[in-house]
Amino acid sequence: MAGASIAIAPGVAYYPGFLDRAAQEALREEIRAALAEAPLYQPRMPKTGKPFSVRMSNCGPLGWVSDETGYRYQPIHPDTGRPWPPIPKSLLAAWAKLAPGAAPPEACLINVYDSKARLGLHQDRGERELSAPIVSLSLGDPALFRIGGLTRDAPTRSFRLESGDALTFGGPARLVFHGVDRIVRGGSTLLPDGGRINLTLRRVTPAGA
Ligand code: MD3
Ligand code: FE
């Protein structure tokens, strides 16, 4: 059990305040340590090479990267060539609560937003394992998050994700279009320089394969 959840669409569960302030602060420090080992890099759009406004890093055996040649999961950091650091135990515990029964996550994508960063509407379909959910945790300034349907032109709704909130996307929601329209500057005191961190835990490969 993982506390109260609100069903916002089939396959989506929303857990406002999943992490209390102390847990958010502890996680902030774990992410700070991971980023010291695996510094933020600037992903680029496949084909065009246009830089994302969101900077990224990863922890776990696999990390998500994107550049001119495409997007993919790989075991090493694109700039340092070193393996990604391990997924912190607190995140593995969150996965166990929020995705009970799923095989362990292999990637934790760390998205870092400054007040001007955004993430266009997209699907996450680079994982070979689509039966496991994706678990998202937010830290820092609020985000206006947009969620649509299974086609880019389906109607969308937007809502605000706050520091400490968790979301899971599974089953019929696993391939929905989604994005981040805007960060609410000054909306949280968790990160000393402001901005927002989003962590997504992902199972990439089929279990036992
Ligand atoms: C719905 N991240 O990393 S988290 C991403 O806030 C991403 O940084 C956003 O979209 C962020 O790919 C949104 C919520 C989220 C994450 C993954 C999903 C929603 C999802 C995958 C499938 C469906
Ligand atoms: Fe996504």
Side-chain angles (χ1 to χ4, degrees):
M1 284 292 286
S5 85
I6 300 171
I8 62 171
V12 182
Y14 172 42
Y15 300 83
F18 177 75
L19 299 175
D20 65 18
R21 176 73 186 206
Q24 293 171 43
E25 289 174 356
L27 184 54
R28 174 192 67 200
E29 296 311 311
E30 290 180 304
I31 298 307
R32 190 203 303 279
L35 293 176
E37 276 187 68
L40 292 170
Y41 71 94
Q42 187 161 44
R44 301 184 300 278
M45 291 293 289
K47 299 195 181 108
T48 64
K50 184 181 185 295
F52 285 47
S53 59
V54 180
R55 291 177 302 153
M56 300 182 174
S57 188
N58 291 270
C59 41
L62 293 172
W64 189 87
V65 301
S66 183
D67 61 21
E68 289 79 352
T69 68
Y71 61 82
R72 62 198 170 272
Y73 284 92
Q74 64 181 42
I76 60 170
H77 192 291
D79 296 337
T80 69
R82 295 196 302 263
W84 306 104
I87 298 176
K89 284 199 182 71
S90 62
L91 289 176
L92 297 176
W95 175 270
K97 282 189 200 166
L98 295 168
E106 295 168 293
C108 175
L109 174 61
I110 304 169
N111 290 339
V112 175
Y113 295 78
D114 66 20
S115 62
K116 289 178 179 156
R118 50 192 70 208
L119 190 61
L121 205 65
H122 67 277
Q123 286 175 301
D124 287 40
R125 50 187 316 158
E127 301 74 27
R128 285 199 286 128
E129 177 57 273
L130 292 173
S131 69
I134 288 185
V135 169
S136 154
L137 291 166
S138 294
L139 294 176
D141 287 344
L144 297 184
F145 173 72
R146 184 171 294 279
I147 180 168
L150 293 173
T151 57
R152 184 174 287 282
D153 58 4
T156 63
R157 287 184 295 153
S158 102
F159 66 103
R160 187 170 155 132
L161 288 181
E162 305 269 357
S163 193
D165 290 353
L167 277 167
T168 66
F169 299 83
R174 180 61 184 76
L175 291 174
V176 296
F177 280 86
H178 59 280
V180 173
D181 291 343
R182 178 162 90 71
I183 303 301
V184 182
R185 190 189 181 116
S188 162
T189 57
L190 185 71
L191 304 177
D193 299 328
R196 171 173 184 263
I197 299 174
N198 180 262
L199 306 169
T200 45
L201 293 162
R202 299 142 183 263
R203 180 75 199 181
V204 179
T205 64

